[in-house]
Amino acid sequence: MAASMVLIGEEHQAMEQHIQEATKRIAPLWPLQNFVAVNPFLGLTEMPFTQAGRLIERNGHAAMLMDADFYREKLSSGAISAKHIRTVLEQQGQQVRIEDPVAWLQRNLREEPRTERMFTVAEWLDIRHGSTWARFIVDEVSKWCSSYYDAGQSAWSMPWRDLPLYAAWKRAAEVDRNPEAFGIPEFRQHVKQLPEGAEKAIEVALRELAVPEDLATDFLHRQLMSVIGWSAYAAFQDRQGFGKDTVQQILAIRLAYDTALLSLDSGWRNGIATTAATFTDAKYISHLAFEESFRSSLVKKLTSVAGPSPAKLPRPQLQAVFCIDVRSEVYRRALEAQQPGGIETLGFAGFFGMSLEVATSALCPVLISPAHRVGVHAKESQLEKIGKGLAEVWKNLSRSAATCFPAVEAGGALFGARLVQDFSSPTAPAPEEKEMEWSIPVSDRVDLAAGALKNMSLDVSRIAPVVLLCGHGATTANNPYGSSLDCGACGGHKGDINARFAAALFNDPEVRQGLAARGITIPQDTVFIGGLHNTTTDQVTLYDSAGLLPAAVRADVEQWLQAASKTARRERSGNTTGTDEAIEKEALKRSRDYSEVRPEWGLAGNAAFIAAPRWRTRDLNLQGRVFLHEYEPGADTDGSVLNLILNAPVVVASWINLQYFGSTVDNEVFGSGNKVLHNVAGTFGVWEGNAGDLRTGLPLQSLHDGTKWVHEPVRLQVLVDAPRERIESVLAASPNVRALFENDWIHLMVIEGQTISSYRGGSQGWQPVQQ
C-alpha cells in the first residue's frame, strides 16, 4: 500500500479532482418511459479499450470479454479461422511463426482468476467474515433512492423530497433503525454527525478510511460501481439538468455506510486492493479474430457489388425513407423486391431531422435538444374520455395500500376475461389517430425541410411521385422495456409523429415555395406521406394518405407494403414452411402476449454501420445486422453531411452497439438479468426481485434465446464511402468521435471503389482490409 495519505485540509483541490474523475466514469441511465441505449463505458472512451477493460475488471468487478468457452466454440466451429488469427497477430505487430494458429489459441485460452479488485469496506468484511454487508447496503441505498425519485408508483411520498438527494437521505437515515437492527452500532448517531454537504462528507469519509491518494479515484469509482444502477440514474439527473452533482451525492451516501462499518473491523485498511492483472492476451486475440471474421465477410460482400450504371436512372414510382435502425434493413429489401427498379429505399435517422418536443418528451436523439414544440391531441369521443378517467381511478385504487387488495379481488374476473380475449384472437391494435398543431415561422420550416433533404441525400431531380417517410415503433404487452424497442433516434419513442410532421412540412405550399427560391424544386405531383413500421409485427401503417393520394396509387402502395410485410415476417421468424397467415398470427400474438419475454429481438445482432449510396448494399442480404445511412459523397462537397453523420448517427449507433456489447459480456453488471424476475421501481426503473440495485442495460432474454446467444458482441464496424481526406478532416475537428476509433471502441473503414481500408489512427494511417 502506498504511504502517501490524502490530506483533506491541504489537498482539497486534489480531492475535488478525484471526485470529478470518479463521477465522470459513470454513464447515465434513462428511465423506462424513454429507455435510451447508452454506451455503459461512456466515461472511459478517452482511454484505449484494453486499458478500460483492466479498469473495469478492477473497479467494476466486471468482464469486458466473453468467457473462454465462447471463443473456444468459435474456434471449433470455424467461425474463427487460422487466417483471421494470423491477420490479427500481424495487426498487433506480433511475429507470426505459428504452424497451427487455431490449436495454439485453443491451448492458450483459459479462464484466469480475477484477482485484481478494488474493495469497499462492506465487501472486504464479507470476504473476511462471510457476512452480507454489501448486499444490505445496496438494499438500503436502493430503498431511499427509489422513495426519493418515485414518479407516482407509490401512494405515499417520501418527506424531504424538496431537498437535494444526500440531504434528504440524511434526514431519513437519522431516524432509520434498520441498520442498527441489522448490526451497525449507533448508525443514527453516526449519520447525525455527518457533514451537511455531500462533497465535504466524501472528504471526511476518505480521511476516516485513510485511503491512499494514488488509490483515491479508483476507490471512489468502486464505491459508485457497487451501486451502479443508482449511480447511473443520478448521472441521468445531472445530464438532463434535473439535479446538480447528483452522482456525487450518491457517492457520499454510499461512503457513509462504509465509514459506519469501520467499527466492526479496523483491519480493512490492509485489504483495499489486490494486485494481479487478468485481461488476458489470448482472450483479446480471440475476440479480435472473431471481429475480423465478421469484418472480412462484410467486406467481401461489399466489394462484390458492381458500380451503378452510368446512364441516368428512371424516376421511381415510390421512394421510402426508413430509419437507419438495423431492423429496417430486412424490411427495405423486402419492399424493394416488390417492384425492382420502381421502388427505392433510403436510410436516415428516424426522427427525419425534425427535432421536436411533444408535451414533456423530446422526439429526437438525446445528443441534441428539441428545436420546435408540437402539440399532439388524440381524437377522442366523450365515452373514450370517460373510460380514461375511470382507468386512472382504477390505477390509483390498485396502488393504494388501503385499497389494492379489494380492488384486485373486485376486478380480477374482468381482467381474466380480457386476458383470454387477447390470447385467443390476437389482432393488431388500431393506430391511434392524433391531431397535430404547431406554430413555426415559414423561414424556420424551410430551413428544416432543406436541411432534411440534404442530410438524407434525397435527389429532388428524380424524386418519386410518392415519398413515404416511415418511422418505426414496437407493440408489446406487459413490458417495462417496451420503449427500448422503439426508435433510438426519437429518444426512445415511436417515430410516427416525426414522420407525419416531416411529410406535412414537405407538402406545405409555403415551404415548397421557399425551397424553390433556394434552387430546390419539388415536382408538383410529388406527395409525401407519413408511416409507421411496427417492428414487432412488420406491419406498416400509413397516415393521412387517403386525402393525399389517388385511390389507385394508394392501393398500389398498400399492396406493396402488405407483400413486403409478409416477406419480412417470414425472414425474421425463420419459418420456411408455415403459411403467411400463421406467421402473421404468431407475430401478433407475441405483440399482445402478457407473458412473452421475447416479443421481438430489437437490435440484437447489430454489428456495422454503412454510410454510402444505396447501390452499394441494395442487392446484399445483410441479415438485419447493419445500420444503413444514405450518403452521396459527390453531393457533399463541403463535407457537412459527413460531419453530421459521424458526429450524430454514428455516435448513437455506437451507444446502441456498446450497450448490447456490455449487456452480453457481463449482464450482471451492465445488463439487467432475468426479465421474469423484474419489478418496476418508481415507474422509472427495474429491480431484479423485490429489492437490490436499479438494473441497467438489457435483460438476458433480449440477448439469448435460452440455448444460444442471439447477440454476439462485435464492436461496431463503421464503413464510409467518402474521400479519406474528408473523413480525416471531420475527425480532426471531432476529438470525441476520433477517440472512439483510435481507442478501439468502434472501428472505421473507408470504401473507395472496390477497395476497403481500415483506419488505424496516428502514424499507422489506413491499411487495406483482407477478405
Side-chain angles (χ1 to χ4, degrees):
M1 180 181 293
S4 61
M5 308 302 288
V6 176
L7 303 177
I8 300 299
E10 300 174 12
E11 303 289 344
H12 176 71
Q13 188 173 358
M15 268 306 92
E16 284 186 323
Q17 186 174 349
H18 290 308
I19 295 169
Q20 290 172 8
E21 178 64 28
T23 55
K24 80 173 186 178
R25 292 177 179 177
I26 304 300
L29 170 65
W30 263 257
L32 293 173
Q33 293 88 334
N34 56 325
F35 188 86
V36 175
V38 177
N39 170 12
F41 318 109
L42 193 60
L44 304 173
T45 53
E46 63 187 25
M47 63 180 69
F49 178 86
T50 51
Q51 181 182 341
R54 293 186 176 93
L55 187 73
I56 284 295
E57 287 195 347
R58 172 184 172 86
N59 300 341
H61 300 186
M64 286 283 278
L65 300 172
M66 298 295 281
D67 58 41
D69 286 343
F70 174 86
Y71 298 112
R72 287 194 193 99
E73 189 278 326
K74 297 302 176 186
L75 287 162
S76 299
S77 68
I80 300 175
S81 70
K83 178 183 176 182
H84 302 138
I85 300 168
R86 291 184 188 278
T87 298
V88 165
L89 292 174
E90 289 173 1
Q91 292 170 352
Q92 298 292 303
Q94 298 189 29
Q95 295 293 326
V96 185
R97 296 178 180 175
I98 305 168
E99 184 176 344
D100 187 344
V102 173
W104 168 79
L105 201 50
Q106 286 276 27
R107 286 195 303 271
N108 283 276
L109 266 176
R110 59 188 183 278
E111 291 294 344
E112 296 184 4
R114 295 177 187 165
T115 54
E116 181 176 332
R117 294 291 175 89
M118 179 67 67
F119 294 113
T120 65
V121 175
E123 290 163 343
W124 185 83
L125 287 173
D126 290 349
I127 293 169
R128 185 175 173 86
H129 301 292
S131 54
T132 58
W133 285 116
R135 181 176 177 180
F136 172 77
I137 291 172
V138 169
D139 287 348
E140 287 294 292
V141 172
S142 189
K143 173 181 72 178
W144 293 120
C145 285
S146 59
S147 297
Y148 182 83
Y149 285 116
D150 180 77
Q153 186 173 15
S154 173
W156 296 345
S157 296
M158 175 192 182
W160 314 296
R161 290 177 69 184
D162 57 323
L163 299 174
L165 174 62
Y166 169 75
W169 168 83
K170 190 173 186 300
R171 299 294 182 275
E174 286 173 353
V175 295
D176 183 13
R177 295 177 181 271
N178 197 46
E180 291 174 17
F182 202 79
I184 304 179
E186 299 183 351
F187 180 77
R188 287 172 294 161
Q189 186 62 31
H190 168 75
V191 173
K192 288 177 183 178
Q193 294 173 353
L194 293 174
E196 291 296 322
E199 183 177 341
K200 183 64 175 176
I202 295 170
E203 294 180 358
V204 168
L206 287 173
R207 180 190 300 160
E208 289 186 31
L209 296 169
V211 178
E213 185 170 0
D214 59 345
L215 297 178
T217 298
D218 283 353
F219 177 71
L220 296 179
H221 185 204
R222 175 59 205 152
Q223 292 283 331
L224 292 169
M225 290 296 296
S226 71
V227 282
I228 182 56
W230 290 108
S231 299
Y233 191 66
F236 163 77
Q237 298 291 322
D238 288 340
R239 183 185 178 94
Q240 298 302 103
F242 301 146
K244 183 180 179 182
D245 298 327
T246 316
V247 182
Q248 185 172 295
Q249 294 179 58
I250 288 283
L251 180 55
I253 293 169
R254 179 61 188 81
L255 282 166
Y257 288 97
D258 259 15
T259 52
L261 290 174
L262 275 180
S263 61
L264 300 181
D265 191 333
S266 60
W268 169 83
R269 291 183 178 87
N270 297 316
I272 186 171
T274 55
T275 57
T278 60
F279 198 91
T280 64
D281 289 339
K283 281 181 69 174
Y284 191 50
I285 289 170
S286 300
H287 185 82
L288 290 172
F290 182 53
E291 291 181 332
E292 178 63 26
S293 170
F294 172 78
R295 177 167 45 244
S296 61
S297 173
L298 180 60
V299 166
K300 184 176 182 179
K301 287 182 179 181
L302 289 169
T303 53
S304 69
V305 177
S309 169
K312 188 173 177 66
L313 295 172
R315 187 187 190 195
Q317 297 168 265
L318 169 69
Q319 286 171 314
V321 186
F322 288 86
C323 183
I324 62 173
D325 188 291
V326 297
R327 290 167 290 184
S328 299
E329 188 270 332
V330 175
Y331 196 93
R332 288 175 62 181
R333 276 189 285 110
L335 181 58
E336 289 168 340
Q338 305 311 312
Q339 199 73 212
I343 299 177
E344 294 180 355
T345 69
L346 299 87
F348 188 49
F351 75 117
F352 302 107
M354 309 294 154
S355 52
L356 307 178
E357 181 180 13
V358 175
T360 58
S361 298
L363 306 188
C364 57
V366 297
L367 299 175
I368 62 178
S369 299
H372 302 285
R373 186 173 180 81
V374 173
V376 176
H377 309 284
K379 295 180 180 179
E380 295 177 326
S381 66
Q382 189 62 33
L383 186 60
E384 287 172 327
K385 291 180 181 178
I386 293 172
K388 280 192 173 181
L390 291 173
E392 185 64 26
V393 171
W394 176 264
K395 182 177 74 172
N396 291 334
L397 285 172
S398 62
R399 288 179 177 173
S400 168
T403 59
C404 60
F405 290 109
V408 171
E409 290 290 335
L414 294 175
F415 277 100
R418 175 63 183 273
L419 285 171
V420 170
Q421 180 184 359
D422 284 348
F423 286 134
S424 60
S425 56
T427 57
E432 187 176 7
E433 293 189 55
K434 295 180 179 179
E435 296 176 332
M436 297 190 299
E437 58 183 30
W438 58 83
S439 178
I440 302 172
V442 174
S443 59
D444 289 353
R445 281 182 274 150
V446 174
D447 287 342
L448 272 174
L453 288 172
K454 177 182 179 182
N455 294 327
M456 73 174 70
S457 297
L458 184 58
D459 181 4
V460 295
S461 70
R462 56 180 300 277
I463 197 169
V466 180
V467 180
L468 168 62
L469 303 175
C470 198
H472 69 94
T475 301
T476 64
N478 189 33
N479 183 12
Y481 282 89
S483 65
S484 71
L485 301 176
D486 285 333
C487 183
C490 301
H493 299 87
K494 292 177 172 60
D496 53 339
I497 293 174
N498 299 78
R500 291 182 62 201
F501 176 85
L505 200 69
F506 290 127
N507 290 330
D508 186 338
E510 289 184 309
V511 171
R512 290 199 179 189
Q513 185 178 359
L515 290 172
R518 301 186 186 187
I520 306 170
T521 303
I522 297 175
Q524 288 187 349
D525 68 340
T526 292
V527 175
F528 289 79
I529 55 175
L532 183 73
H533 173 206
N534 186 327
T535 54
T536 312
T537 64
D538 271 313
Q539 296 169 314
V540 171
T541 299
L542 300 181
Y543 297 100
D544 315 314
S545 60
L548 295 173
L549 297 179
V553 174
R554 186 168 185 263
D556 284 342
V557 172
E558 289 182 338
Q559 180 182 349
W560 293 331
L561 291 170
Q562 288 169 6
S565 293
K566 292 178 182 179
T567 301
R569 274 194 295 269
R570 184 174 294 277
E571 178 176 332
R572 277 190 232 276
S573 70
N575 187 339
T576 59
T577 59
T579 65
D580 290 333
E581 292 74 17
I583 294 171
E584 180 179 15
K585 185 176 181 180
E586 177 60 29
L588 291 170
K589 180 182 177 182
R590 285 199 312 274
S591 74
R592 301 293 298 274
D593 190 339
Y594 284 62
S595 64
E596 179 59 69
V597 293
R598 298 181 180 93
E600 63 158 278
W601 285 112
L603 293 97
N606 74 85
F609 181 109
I610 299 176
R614 177 57 172 160
W615 66 261
R616 286 200 177 273
T617 57
R618 182 184 177 105
D619 297 324
L620 301 178
N621 182 347
L622 299 174
Q623 302 174 311
R625 301 194 68 184
V626 183
F627 298 92
L628 294 175
H629 199 300
E630 195 71 17
Y631 179 62
E632 289 288 349
D636 185 30
T637 54
D638 63 355
S640 59
V641 176
L642 180 61
N643 181 70
L644 179 66
I645 290 173
L646 290 179
N647 278 278
V650 165
V651 173
V652 171
S654 77
W655 281 24
I656 294 168
N657 172 263
L658 288 167
Q659 182 185 65
Y660 273 81
F661 185 103
S663 295
T664 305
V665 297
D666 197 323
N667 195 266
E668 180 64 29
V669 176
F670 300 118
S672 61
N674 188 345
K675 196 175 184 181
V676 176
L677 303 179
H678 284 175
N679 281 299
V680 174
T683 77
F684 54 82
V686 295
W687 290 319
E688 189 177 13
N690 61 357
D693 198 7
L694 204 63
R695 297 309 304 263
T696 65
L698 300 162
L700 280 168
Q701 286 87 348
S702 293
L703 310 161
H704 197 279
D705 69 1
T707 58
K708 67 180 184 303
W709 291 105
V710 173
H711 181 79
E712 296 179 329
V714 174
R715 287 169 292 182
L716 194 70
Q717 313 290 316
V718 179
L719 297 98
V720 181
D721 184 346
R724 294 184 186 186
E725 298 76 16
R726 187 181 299 170
I727 297 173
E728 290 171 349
S729 177
V730 172
L731 295 181
S734 310
N736 290 337
V737 176
R738 187 174 70 248
L740 289 173
F741 295 118
E742 295 190 347
N743 290 331
D744 293 324
W745 292 98
I746 54 179
H747 304 298
L748 175 63
M749 285 169 276
V750 61
I751 308 173
E752 299 170 297
Q754 298 299 103
T755 302
I756 297 180
S757 300
S758 179
Y759 176 72
R760 298 299 180 194
S763 60
Q764 296 186 62
W766 300 87
Q767 300 293 329
V769 177
Q770 298 183 27
Q771 297 181 32

